[in-house]
């Protein structure tokens, strides 16, 4: 079963952002409303919303925020 993806990237201002891509057509269906100076804060924002219901990528590569110590999981 395909799952939506949350992709982390830096924007033109060099701030971290995330966007949620639909599993069926890879179109953006959600995005961060603000940029983050710190990558960890951006990751925590997305994880707090989506938990483990999506797959995560960091600049196009698979990324597991739960096992790399980036996300603080409640």
């Amino acid at each position: 079963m395909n799952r939506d993806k949350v992709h982390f990237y830096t924007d033109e201002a060099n701030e971290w952002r995330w966007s949620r891509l639909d599993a069926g057509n890879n179109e953006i269906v959600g995005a961060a409303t603000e940029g983050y100076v710190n990558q960890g804060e951006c990751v925590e924002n997305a994880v707090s919303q989506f938990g483990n219901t999506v797959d995560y990528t960091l600049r196009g590569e698979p990324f597991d925020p739960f096992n790399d110590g980036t996300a603080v999981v409640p």
Side-chain angles (χ1 to χ4, degrees):
M1 177 175 120
N2 288 339
R3 299 183 342 154
D4 286 3
K5 292 181 181 141
V6 172
H7 174 67
F8 298 102
Y9 62 96
T10 51
D11 63 13
E12 297 85 22
N14 207 30
E15 292 184 327
W16 285 94
R17 293 186 174 267
W18 59 262
S19 57
R20 184 172 182 166
L21 307 175
D22 182 89
N25 60 15
N26 228 23
E27 290 188 20
I28 295 174
V29 294
T33 57
E34 65 180 289
Y36 295 86
V37 174
N38 182 292
Q39 175 190 349
E41 290 175 358
C42 182
V43 171
E44 285 184 18
N45 176 263
V47 167
S48 72
Q49 295 182 56
F50 309 118
N52 64 359
T53 64
V54 298
D55 292 327
Y56 294 93
T57 63
L58 176 63
R59 295 183 173 141
E61 297 295 321
F63 174 67
D64 185 351
F66 302 102
N67 290 322
D68 80 347
T70 303
V72 175
V73 182

